[in-house]
Amino acid sequence: MREHESGGDFKRSIWRTSGTKNRSITVPVFLAYCVLGAALRGLVRRGGSARALLVVETSDAAEVFAQAGRLFLRQHFHFEEYEKPTVWVLSESRKGNRVRRNLFEEAAEKDEAILICDSETEFDEEAALWADVFVHLPKPTTRQIEATFRRFGYVLNDSDLEMLEAETWTRLSYAFPPKRPVSVGLQRLRSGPHAVVKEVGQPDDGPTLADLHGFGAAAEWGFELARDLEDFRAGRVRWDEVDAGVLISGRPGTGKTLFAGALARSCQVPIIASSAAQWQAAGYLNDFLRSMHATFEEARAQAPCLLFIDEIDAFGNRTTGGHNDDYKRQAINGLLEELDGFKRRSGVVVVGATNHPEDLDPAIKRAGRLDRHIVIPLPDATTRQKIFEQLAGFAVPPEQMDRFGRSTEGMSGAEIEQLVRDGKRVARRRGSRDARFDDVVHLMKPLVRLPSLQRRVVSVHETGHAVVGFELGMNLESVEVNETFVEDGATSVGVTHFRAPEFARHTRSFYNDHLAMLLAGLAAEKMIFGDFCDGAVGGDQSDLARATALATKMEACFGLGRTLAVEVVSNRELALLRAQDPSLRECVQHILEQAFERATSILRGLRSAVDEIATCLEERRFLSAHVIESIIDENARGPTGREMTQGEGRVHTSD
């Protein structure tokens, strides 16, 4: 702020006067002080009485200017520290009413007084006689905003300056309370609704759904939505006939955000992107709700459009409990009101994205809200190759396809994109503008040949799964052992395939069979080698981890154990249930021991068949269900141990 804008030694005195409590001088108060001081500069220079009637543009500015007015009077008219300057905010009145006369009479007794009101307040004619100065306060100038932030030690860039010029006094007051660093307040304003709106929807701005690979059911739904929106714009269907809410989930890097952008382009509508975290950055609960409401209002203003809510699981679940239950409940209620409350979201398609759909409150997924749930899986080998070739601009050589597929197993689209970026960087370092597959192949995870001893162990392990599953009536398809694998990667060294049944009753017997099959690999290793290794134990997808989770659900979540009472929890909370309930942990341990003993009994009864199948698998590395059945029949089986003939869902065990 320049000297002539604020009147003399303005910026020195406001900071250095001992009678001023500096901690109350916030960013918005100082900014208002600059505006007010520039308007009353002549009043100070003239001397004598100082009675000012100031009109602000909006009612939310009145209290901020009242604080600035008190600073102004104290600074320039020598108030003692114990004296309170006369600054009143006149409440807004309806048209036809008058400001109370006695307020002016009381102010008339003061030599220095400031009355502040908004532009809708009406006055008696005597108001002009009372006031020495009658001023409509303007909005802060660019130079005043810059000077204010310089006073607080912060230099604004053009983007922040443009944002601040558009902010309301209420939002400034919330963003810059006493003692909060200026940088934190600016970050909160940047995270507000105005900062999260971005329009796409132009076909040349990025890929459409037709350009993407590996989105399966999500892409199919998107194509149908594009047709529905076209019919809606043409007046052929009503909005309640459009599928306007969907929840998409998948592991990080599977392309949920990419899908949302491509969906908007395919539908040729703008997209507004936000998240619970961005709304929470606005401040307290009321600020959170206002920020969320503003985003939905923006979406309604641009309808038809797409509103993308990332990490929607951050809203949580009202049934899980916790120290911030009330906040969570009101936040979720606010979202539900926006999704299907009194103000219908006609023309707004809401897409919620999450990595953990099980953590989302069930009410958000009910009919009329985000009732359709689509999982975006990790891309398979064919899809990974298409993604790579689209990003890289060249094809994978035929002789490298197998290696590429195995080395990239378990990788997401984002990880493949990173691989392409690294390959192009290698090409630039060698002085070439164009990358080749040779630049990428050395960056992929190397394939390691499985040692002979380890191949024998894996063959025995997978044989255990196959034999016990077959004996218990599961629909075995095949079993295989890979000759090579990715060290510290997702490539399986062995896998047993079971075909999914068309119908199955998931009874206690059904799950007991499944547990026996899961633990059969460990049982086979112990029977042949005397013990099992940790390859099937570590990790949340290991045989033992999956069996432990299933046994816990049987006892605590499915009503198939000691009690019919159930706990509704996510998979990640199962361990907490066991830790909090020692008796539950004992029951789970008992179930697992029984399943392990049952698998061991079946394998011992078929020991000769197990040895022959494991040897054949070690040599051939692939056996069909027909071959396994033939070997079992030829080895004069004992009791089958079959207790049911219901099929089992497709199971992949990999260690």
Side-chain angles (χ1 to χ4, degrees):
M1 179 180 62
R2 295 182 182 274
E3 297 279 334
H4 71 270
E5 273 195 14
S6 57
D9 59 348
F10 222 34
K11 61 181 180 182
R12 291 194 300 273
S13 59
I14 190 174
W15 240 259
R16 296 180 180 177
T17 301
S18 60
T20 300
K21 295 181 179 180
N22 291 348
R23 62 185 177 84
S24 68
I25 305 176
T26 62
V27 167
V29 170
F30 187 81
L31 182 58
Y33 187 83
C34 294
V35 176
L36 185 147
L40 301 183
R41 182 172 55 236
L43 190 67
V44 175
R45 292 174 177 172
R46 186 175 63 235
S49 64
R51 302 181 184 93
L53 182 58
L54 306 180
V55 181
V56 295
E57 288 188 314
T58 57
S59 59
D60 70 334
E63 186 55 43
V64 179
F65 276 96
Q67 296 180 58
R70 294 184 186 100
L71 288 174
F72 178 86
L73 291 179
R74 187 180 295 280
Q75 183 58 44
H76 293 280
F77 294 94
H78 310 294
F79 280 79
E80 298 295 336
E81 186 171 355
Y82 61 85
E83 290 183 305
K84 186 176 182 180
T86 302
V87 178
W88 288 314
V89 175
L90 306 180
S91 60
E92 176 183 309
S93 61
R94 298 297 179 186
K95 189 173 182 180
N97 294 333
R98 301 295 183 186
V99 175
R100 290 174 298 149
R101 182 181 300 274
N102 61 351
L103 193 61
F104 283 105
E105 292 176 350
E106 185 176 352
E109 298 177 359
K110 306 288 185 179
D111 291 332
E112 299 88 17
I114 295 177
L115 299 184
I116 299 174
C117 60
D118 62 43
S119 57
E120 295 185 5
T121 302
E122 291 192 356
F123 303 97
D124 294 308
E125 295 179 359
E126 290 83 356
L129 299 175
W130 171 85
D132 297 318
V133 176
F134 186 95
V135 178
H136 283 264
L137 294 177
K139 295 179 64 175
T141 66
T142 299
R143 295 169 68 181
Q144 287 170 342
I145 295 173
E146 290 176 323
T148 296
F149 280 85
R150 280 202 304 272
R151 166 52 69 182
F152 285 86
Y154 199 94
V155 178
L156 296 172
N157 57 39
D158 292 341
S159 177
D160 286 339
L161 185 58
E162 182 179 355
M163 173 186 69
L164 290 164
E165 288 175 337
E167 288 295 355
T168 66
W169 288 100
T170 296
R171 284 174 55 82
L172 289 174
S173 298
Y174 284 140
F176 300 103
K179 298 184 178 181
R180 174 176 288 170
V182 171
S183 59
V184 176
L186 283 171
Q187 182 57 45
R188 297 211 172 190
L189 287 176
R190 296 186 193 110
S191 302
H194 61 274
V196 299
V197 176
K198 58 177 182 179
E199 293 190 17
V200 293
Q202 298 300 324
D204 56 350
D205 286 344
T208 64
L209 292 177
D211 301 319
L212 301 181
H213 303 283
F215 284 92
E220 293 176 6
W221 176 84
F223 288 129
E224 289 299 320
L225 176 65
R227 297 188 186 97
D228 288 344
L229 288 178
E230 183 179 354
D231 289 340
F232 172 72
R233 284 189 289 254
R236 291 189 287 268
V237 299
R238 301 187 310 273
W239 182 251
D240 58 9
E241 298 178 73
V242 178
D243 199 355
V246 66
L247 177 69
I248 56 175
S249 66
R251 284 179 48 182
T254 49
K256 297 183 288 294
T257 303
L258 176 66
F259 169 78
L263 176 63
R265 297 183 194 98
S266 297
C267 296
Q268 296 184 337
V269 296
I271 180 173
I272 295 176
S274 191
S275 68
Q278 289 174 322
W279 292 330
Q280 287 170 344
Y284 297 102
L285 177 62
N286 287 340
D287 306 311
F288 172 93
L289 295 175
R290 275 195 295 268
S291 183
M292 179 172 62
H293 176 71
T295 301
F296 274 86
E297 281 293 313
E298 178 67 23
R300 283 187 279 266
Q302 296 192 46
C305 77
L306 188 147
L307 174 56
F308 177 63
I309 306 176
D310 200 8
E311 299 175 348
I312 195 172
D313 55 282
F315 278 94
N317 192 322
R318 291 171 295 183
T319 64
T320 56
H323 68 281
N324 59 343
D325 279 357
D326 186 62
Y327 186 102
K328 183 189 302 182
R329 181 174 60 256
Q330 294 192 55
I332 293 176
N333 289 342
L335 176 63
L336 298 179
E337 176 68 19
E338 295 293 348
L339 289 176
D340 66 351
F342 180 77
K343 291 184 178 180
R344 303 298 298 180
R345 52 182 173 91
S346 178
V348 179
V349 178
V350 179
V351 177
T354 176
N355 299 334
H356 305 289
E358 68 277 4
D359 292 347
L360 196 61
D361 193 280
I364 299 175
K365 298 181 285 186
R366 287 179 185 163
R369 297 165 184 166
L370 306 186
D371 48 1
R372 184 182 294 275
H373 179 200
I374 302 176
V375 179
I376 298 180
L378 286 172
D380 58 20
T382 301
T383 302
R384 292 196 301 275
Q385 181 178 332
K386 290 180 178 178
I387 293 173
F388 175 85
E389 291 177 345
Q390 182 183 43
L391 295 171
F394 54 81
V396 177
E399 66 275 12
Q400 294 282 3
M401 286 183 179
D402 181 67
R403 178 178 181 181
F404 176 85
R406 294 176 60 76
S407 294
T408 59
E409 185 175 344
M411 291 179 66
S412 66
E415 291 171 321
I416 295 174
E417 184 177 9
Q418 180 64 55
L419 179 64
V420 173
R421 282 199 301 269
D422 292 342
K424 291 182 177 179
R425 184 179 299 110
V426 170
R428 291 196 301 271
R429 296 296 181 268
R430 64 174 174 80
S432 174
R433 295 178 57 186
D434 299 323
R436 304 174 308 202
F437 191 79
D438 290 344
D439 298 318
V440 178
V441 68
H442 301 296
L443 301 173
M444 296 189 302
K445 297 175 182 178
L447 293 179
V448 180
R449 183 171 294 277
L450 195 65
S452 58
L453 176 60
Q454 185 65 21
R455 186 164 64 248
R456 173 64 179 170
V457 172
V458 174
S459 298
V460 168
H461 183 98
E462 297 303 328
T463 296
H465 288 307
V467 170
V468 171
F470 178 81
E471 286 295 296
L472 294 178
M474 299 178 187
N475 299 323
L476 177 68
E477 286 189 330
S478 64
V479 59
E480 59 183 299
V481 174
N482 295 318
E483 187 175 6
T484 58
F485 68 101
V486 176
E487 193 172 14
D488 297 328
T491 304
S492 305
V493 292
V495 58
T496 304
H497 299 279
F498 290 92
R499 187 176 68 254
E502 292 185 5
F503 303 100
R505 294 184 64 239
H506 291 190
T507 63
R508 184 176 179 88
S509 295
F510 174 91
Y511 288 119
N512 281 334
D513 289 350
H514 189 58
L515 286 172
M517 184 277 298
L518 282 174
L519 298 181
L522 303 180
E525 287 188 46
K526 187 170 184 179
M527 183 179 71
I528 301 297
F529 304 110
D531 210 344
F532 56 80
C533 65
D534 64 357
V537 177
D540 60 356
Q541 291 302 308
S542 66
D543 293 340
L544 192 54
R546 293 163 62 195
T548 302
L550 178 56
T552 305
K553 290 180 179 179
M554 291 172 61
E555 276 293 322
C557 305
F558 294 164
L560 299 175
R562 53 185 174 161
T563 175
L564 291 176
V566 299
E567 301 290 343
V568 181
V569 298
S570 65
N571 289 336
R572 292 181 294 171
E573 296 174 307
L574 295 175
L576 183 61
L577 286 181
R578 296 191 298 269
Q580 293 175 336
D581 187 351
S583 62
L584 172 61
R585 187 176 181 86
E586 291 180 5
C587 289
V588 171
Q589 173 68 18
H590 180 66
I591 292 173
L592 294 177
E593 288 175 348
Q594 284 188 322
F596 188 84
E597 292 172 2
R598 186 180 180 204
T600 301
S601 176
I602 294 173
L603 294 172
R604 283 175 178 168
L606 297 169
R607 174 60 188 266
S608 59
V610 170
D611 288 337
E612 184 175 347
I613 293 170
T615 300
C616 290
L617 182 60
E618 182 182 2
E619 294 173 352
R620 304 181 192 178
R621 297 194 297 279
F622 177 87
L623 295 177
S624 66
H626 176 72
V627 172
I628 293 173
E629 182 179 10
S630 298
I631 293 175
I632 291 175
D633 288 339
E634 291 172 0
N635 278 271
R637 296 185 298 156
T640 66
R642 182 180 288 115
E643 294 187 5
M644 62 179 292
T645 59
Q646 292 173 343
E648 163 60 26
R650 186 180 184 89
V651 177
H652 297 268
T653 63
S654 55
D655 313 299

